[in-house]
Amino acid sequence: MSGSGSGSAPPRPKKPAVSPERTRRARRRFISSAMLLVGIVGTSLLGLLPVFRKRLKRLRPPGALDEEDFLASCIKCGQCLQVCPVSAIRLGDIDEGYGIGVPFIAAREQACDFSCEGVQCVSACPTGALTYEKPNFFPVREGAGLSRPPTLKAKAKEPEPEINLKERMGLARLTHPEACLAVQGKGFSGSAREAGFKGRMRYMEVDRWKPIPVNEHPYERKPCDLCVTECPVDDAIALEVFTGTDGSRRFRPVVREQCVGCGVCEMVCPVGLAAIEVEPRATWKAGNL
């Protein structure tokens, strides 16, 4: 019995010490695994980016079929881009979703001003993705069709001033009236866009056939009416008189049914955030004003 009743537990064996090198290797494996996991998740999310971006509407060139039909018909050949005299047409990049390589127009940067006068992009399209007139199996959406062919101001004095365009590309809207100089009762003096702006447009008083940089053409307007005077289509937009809260006479741009959605009004708007913008594929409805 002696020595067995002390009740003390035998000492536990000590764990072998972990070497610093082994600790460093374990830490590197953990960091590598974590980075791999982050990479996999990040790549998965990037894969969804085109799908999300596809929700953004793009302004298509003149004569484009409705979006789904257009995407199915366009072979991304770039012929429309090559014939555009102001380089208004671009090709969608990888973040354009299912529209990779498909032509579009970024109106604020370069609008379609119909310098070609004949809608050459439509003539150049080999598949009918851009067309003067849809086949019968492609119905015209209500409000997308134009009530009459657009008349180009540049051709107003010619025997055939109209262009062969049956449907609008979109529709201009006064999206930021608080930024509009005319609504504020202000005029405008100087270049419509900032130095370095690359957008071009033709000015009849300069050269009918040679577009020049917008920022090289000076303006002196009171009230500001650039969106009206520079619109290439006759009777597409006008200034409407109204009385301000202070009782002063002011003006408001009013978009009319002849608007084809070319985007010139958006490109020449001289304020930082364009007061008037084109909504791609928008349709005309009674009371649209």
Short mmCIF file of all heavy atoms in Angstrom, two decimals, residues 37-61:
data_model
loop_
_atom_site.label_atom_id
_atom_site.label_comp_id
_atom_site.label_asym_id
_atom_site.label_seq_id
_atom_site.Cartn_x
_atom_site.Cartn_y
_atom_site.Cartn_z
N LEU A 37 -8.70 30.29 -53.31
CA LEU A 37 -10.14 30.40 -53.10
C LEU A 37 -10.66 31.76 -53.56
O LEU A 37 -11.68 31.85 -54.24
CB LEU A 37 -10.47 30.18 -51.63
CG LEU A 37 -11.95 30.28 -51.24
CD1 LEU A 37 -12.77 29.22 -51.98
CD2 LEU A 37 -12.12 30.12 -49.74
N VAL A 38 -9.94 32.82 -53.19
CA VAL A 38 -10.33 34.17 -53.61
C VAL A 38 -10.32 34.28 -55.13
O VAL A 38 -11.20 34.87 -55.74
CB VAL A 38 -9.40 35.23 -52.97
CG1 VAL A 38 -9.64 36.60 -53.60
CG2 VAL A 38 -9.63 35.29 -51.48
N GLY A 39 -9.30 33.68 -55.76
CA GLY A 39 -9.20 33.72 -57.22
C GLY A 39 -10.36 33.02 -57.90
O GLY A 39 -10.92 33.50 -58.88
N ILE A 40 -10.74 31.86 -57.35
CA ILE A 40 -11.86 31.10 -57.92
C ILE A 40 -13.16 31.88 -57.81
O ILE A 40 -13.93 32.01 -58.77
CB ILE A 40 -11.99 29.73 -57.23
CG1 ILE A 40 -10.77 28.85 -57.57
CG2 ILE A 40 -13.28 29.04 -57.64
CD1 ILE A 40 -10.72 27.55 -56.80
N VAL A 41 -13.41 32.44 -56.61
CA VAL A 41 -14.64 33.22 -56.40
C VAL A 41 -14.63 34.46 -57.29
O VAL A 41 -15.64 34.81 -57.92
CB VAL A 41 -14.77 33.62 -54.92
CG1 VAL A 41 -15.95 34.57 -54.74
CG2 VAL A 41 -14.94 32.38 -54.06
N GLY A 42 -13.47 35.16 -57.36
CA GLY A 42 -13.38 36.37 -58.17
C GLY A 42 -13.62 36.08 -59.64
O GLY A 42 -14.33 36.82 -60.32
N THR A 43 -13.02 34.99 -60.13
CA THR A 43 -13.23 34.62 -61.53
C THR A 43 -14.69 34.31 -61.81
O THR A 43 -15.23 34.66 -62.86
CB THR A 43 -12.36 33.40 -61.89
OG1 THR A 43 -10.99 33.71 -61.62
CG2 THR A 43 -12.51 33.03 -63.35
N SER A 44 -15.33 33.65 -60.86
CA SER A 44 -16.75 33.32 -61.03
C SER A 44 -17.59 34.59 -61.13
O SER A 44 -18.49 34.71 -61.96
CB SER A 44 -17.24 32.46 -59.86
OG SER A 44 -16.51 31.26 -59.78
N LEU A 45 -17.27 35.58 -60.27
CA LEU A 45 -18.02 36.84 -60.30
C LEU A 45 -17.75 37.61 -61.58
O LEU A 45 -18.65 38.23 -62.15
CB LEU A 45 -17.64 37.70 -59.08
CG LEU A 45 -18.09 37.14 -57.73
CD1 LEU A 45 -17.58 38.02 -56.60
CD2 LEU A 45 -19.61 37.02 -57.68
N LEU A 46 -16.50 37.58 -62.07
CA LEU A 46 -16.18 38.24 -63.33
C LEU A 46 -16.94 37.62 -64.49
O LEU A 46 -17.31 38.28 -65.45
CB LEU A 46 -14.67 38.17 -63.61
CG LEU A 46 -13.79 39.10 -62.77
CD1 LEU A 46 -12.32 38.82 -63.05
CD2 LEU A 46 -14.12 40.56 -63.08
N GLY A 47 -17.17 36.33 -64.38
CA GLY A 47 -17.94 35.66 -65.42
C GLY A 47 -19.37 36.15 -65.49
O GLY A 47 -20.02 36.09 -66.53
N LEU A 48 -19.87 36.66 -64.36
CA LEU A 48 -21.23 37.18 -64.34
C LEU A 48 -21.30 38.62 -64.83
O LEU A 48 -22.38 39.11 -65.18
CB LEU A 48 -21.79 37.12 -62.91
CG LEU A 48 -22.06 35.73 -62.35
CD1 LEU A 48 -22.48 35.84 -60.88
CD2 LEU A 48 -23.13 35.01 -63.15
N LEU A 49 -20.14 39.32 -64.87
CA LEU A 49 -20.13 40.72 -65.26
C LEU A 49 -20.75 40.97 -66.63
O LEU A 49 -21.59 41.87 -66.78
CB LEU A 49 -18.69 41.26 -65.24
CG LEU A 49 -18.52 42.73 -65.63
CD1 LEU A 49 -19.30 43.64 -64.69
CD2 LEU A 49 -17.03 43.11 -65.63
N PRO A 50 -20.41 40.18 -67.67
CA PRO A 50 -21.04 40.41 -68.96
C PRO A 50 -22.55 40.27 -68.92
O PRO A 50 -23.27 40.98 -69.60
CB PRO A 50 -20.40 39.35 -69.86
CG PRO A 50 -19.11 39.03 -69.20
CD PRO A 50 -19.38 39.14 -67.74
N VAL A 51 -23.03 39.33 -68.11
CA VAL A 51 -24.48 39.13 -68.01
C VAL A 51 -25.15 40.36 -67.40
O VAL A 51 -26.19 40.82 -67.86
CB VAL A 51 -24.79 37.88 -67.17
CG1 VAL A 51 -26.29 37.69 -67.02
CG2 VAL A 51 -24.15 36.65 -67.80
N PHE A 52 -24.52 40.92 -66.34
CA PHE A 52 -25.07 42.12 -65.73
C PHE A 52 -24.99 43.30 -66.69
O PHE A 52 -25.90 44.10 -66.80
CB PHE A 52 -24.33 42.44 -64.43
CG PHE A 52 -24.57 41.45 -63.34
CD1 PHE A 52 -23.53 40.98 -62.56
CD2 PHE A 52 -25.85 40.96 -63.09
CE1 PHE A 52 -23.75 40.06 -61.54
CE2 PHE A 52 -26.08 40.04 -62.08
CZ PHE A 52 -25.04 39.59 -61.31
N ARG A 53 -23.85 43.43 -67.40
CA ARG A 53 -23.67 44.54 -68.31
C ARG A 53 -24.65 44.47 -69.48
O ARG A 53 -25.01 45.47 -70.07
CB ARG A 53 -22.23 44.57 -68.86
CG ARG A 53 -21.21 45.05 -67.86
CD ARG A 53 -21.46 46.49 -67.45
NE ARG A 53 -21.39 47.40 -68.55
CZ ARG A 53 -20.29 47.99 -69.00
NH1 ARG A 53 -19.14 47.75 -68.40
NH2 ARG A 53 -20.34 48.81 -70.02
N LYS A 54 -25.07 43.26 -69.82
CA LYS A 54 -26.01 43.10 -70.92
C LYS A 54 -27.33 43.79 -70.62
O LYS A 54 -28.09 44.14 -71.51
CB LYS A 54 -26.23 41.61 -71.20
CG LYS A 54 -27.12 41.34 -72.41
CD LYS A 54 -27.21 39.86 -72.68
CE LYS A 54 -28.07 39.60 -73.91
NZ LYS A 54 -29.48 39.85 -73.65
N ARG A 55 -27.61 44.01 -69.34
CA ARG A 55 -28.84 44.70 -68.98
C ARG A 55 -28.80 46.17 -69.41
O ARG A 55 -29.83 46.80 -69.55
CB ARG A 55 -29.06 44.62 -67.46
CG ARG A 55 -29.26 43.20 -66.94
CD ARG A 55 -29.29 43.19 -65.42
NE ARG A 55 -29.42 41.85 -64.90
CZ ARG A 55 -30.58 41.27 -64.60
NH1 ARG A 55 -31.70 41.93 -64.79
NH2 ARG A 55 -30.62 40.05 -64.11
N LEU A 56 -27.58 46.72 -69.60
CA LEU A 56 -27.47 48.11 -70.03
C LEU A 56 -27.82 48.21 -71.50
O LEU A 56 -27.29 47.48 -72.33
CB LEU A 56 -26.03 48.61 -69.79
CG LEU A 56 -25.54 48.58 -68.35
CD1 LEU A 56 -24.09 49.05 -68.30
CD2 LEU A 56 -26.41 49.46 -67.47
N LYS A 57 -28.68 49.13 -71.84
CA LYS A 57 -29.07 49.31 -73.23
C LYS A 57 -27.99 50.05 -73.99
O LYS A 57 -27.42 51.02 -73.49
CB LYS A 57 -30.40 50.08 -73.32
CG LYS A 57 -31.60 49.31 -72.82
CD LYS A 57 -32.86 50.14 -73.02
CE LYS A 57 -34.09 49.38 -72.55
NZ LYS A 57 -35.33 50.18 -72.72
N ARG A 58 -27.72 49.62 -75.21
CA ARG A 58 -26.78 50.28 -76.08
C ARG A 58 -27.53 50.90 -77.26
O ARG A 58 -28.47 50.31 -77.77
CB ARG A 58 -25.75 49.28 -76.61
CG ARG A 58 -24.62 48.96 -75.63
CD ARG A 58 -23.80 50.17 -75.30
NE ARG A 58 -22.52 49.84 -74.70
CZ ARG A 58 -21.69 50.73 -74.22
NH1 ARG A 58 -22.01 52.01 -74.23
NH2 ARG A 58 -20.52 50.38 -73.70
N LEU A 59 -27.09 52.09 -77.65
CA LEU A 59 -27.66 52.73 -78.83
C LEU A 59 -27.05 52.07 -80.05
O LEU A 59 -25.83 52.11 -80.25
CB LEU A 59 -27.36 54.23 -78.81
CG LEU A 59 -27.96 55.07 -79.95
CD1 LEU A 59 -29.49 55.06 -79.86
CD2 LEU A 59 -27.43 56.49 -79.90
N ARG A 60 -27.87 51.44 -80.86
CA ARG A 60 -27.40 50.75 -82.05
C ARG A 60 -27.41 51.69 -83.26
O ARG A 60 -28.09 52.72 -83.24
CB ARG A 60 -28.27 49.52 -82.33
CG ARG A 60 -28.30 48.50 -81.21
CD ARG A 60 -26.93 47.97 -80.85
NE ARG A 60 -26.98 46.96 -79.78
CZ ARG A 60 -25.89 46.47 -79.20
NH1 ARG A 60 -24.69 46.89 -79.56
NH2 ARG A 60 -25.98 45.56 -78.24
N PRO A 61 -26.68 51.37 -84.32
CA PRO A 61 -26.64 52.23 -85.51
C PRO A 61 -28.01 52.33 -86.17
O PRO A 61 -28.93 51.57 -85.86
CB PRO A 61 -25.64 51.51 -86.42
CG PRO A 61 -24.80 50.69 -85.50
CD PRO A 61 -25.73 50.25 -84.40
#
